[in-house]
Amino acid sequence: MTVEPQDGHESDEVTRLRAQLEELRKAKDHQRSFFDDTFDVVGIGIAHVDLEGRFLDVNATLCTMLGYAREELIGRRFAEFTYSDDLDPNLDHLARVLEGKAISYRMDKRYRRA
């Protein structure tokens, strides 16, 4: 909702709120940049997956671990690369997220390389 002042000038409160909003945007952008930088250079494989287990994003370490380029992994299911004995525990963790019992998970598991 936008409220326009009748005299064409913003009130001090509106000006203050706009300044606060801009500071929050800058902070969010900074945090996102920091996250992106960390995601890409951390020494462990990390993936974001969708509700069906498809890779949405993978970091460079995971690409190296699996032996695939990022573009080859995006859209494919993590189950294709998960060592068969580790797949059921992985799917159990994913089910907990889908049921709302967890917001994310982390696990050690084995992968099959290219």
Side-chain angles (χ1 to χ4, degrees), residues 29-48:
D29 290 346
H30 175 74
Q31 289 298 318
R32 183 63 200 197
S33 176
F34 179 76
F35 173 83
D36 289 345
D37 290 346
T38 303
F39 181 80
D40 225 16
V41 299
V42 70
I44 60 172
I46 301 174
H48 293 149

Side-chain angles (χ1 to χ4, degrees), residues 42-100:
V42 70
I44 60 172
I46 301 174
H48 293 149
V49 298
D50 69 11
L51 297 177
E52 314 242 321
R54 285 189 286 278
F55 290 124
L56 297 173
D57 199 5
V58 295
N59 70 352
T61 302
L62 187 62
C63 292
T64 300
M65 289 170 55
L66 296 179
Y68 290 92
R70 180 180 183 277
E71 296 76 24
E72 295 175 289
L73 294 174
I74 301 302
R76 293 174 69 180
R77 295 176 193 270
F78 69 80
E80 293 179 53
F81 307 97
T82 302
Y83 186 74
S84 59
D85 290 347
D86 296 339
L87 185 56
D88 284 341
N90 198 161
L91 294 173
D92 289 343
H93 285 303
L94 181 59
R96 289 181 45 77
V97 171
L98 294 175
E99 294 165 1

Side-chain angles (χ1 to χ4, degrees), residues 7-31:
D7 64 1
H9 294 86
E10 288 185 349
S11 70
D12 290 342
E13 181 67 8
V14 170
T15 300
R16 185 184 66 75
L17 290 172
R18 285 186 193 277
Q20 283 181 332
L21 181 59
E22 183 58 28
E23 287 300 315
L24 289 171
R25 283 185 182 134
K26 286 179 185 177
K28 178 194 65 88
D29 290 346
H30 175 74
Q31 289 298 318

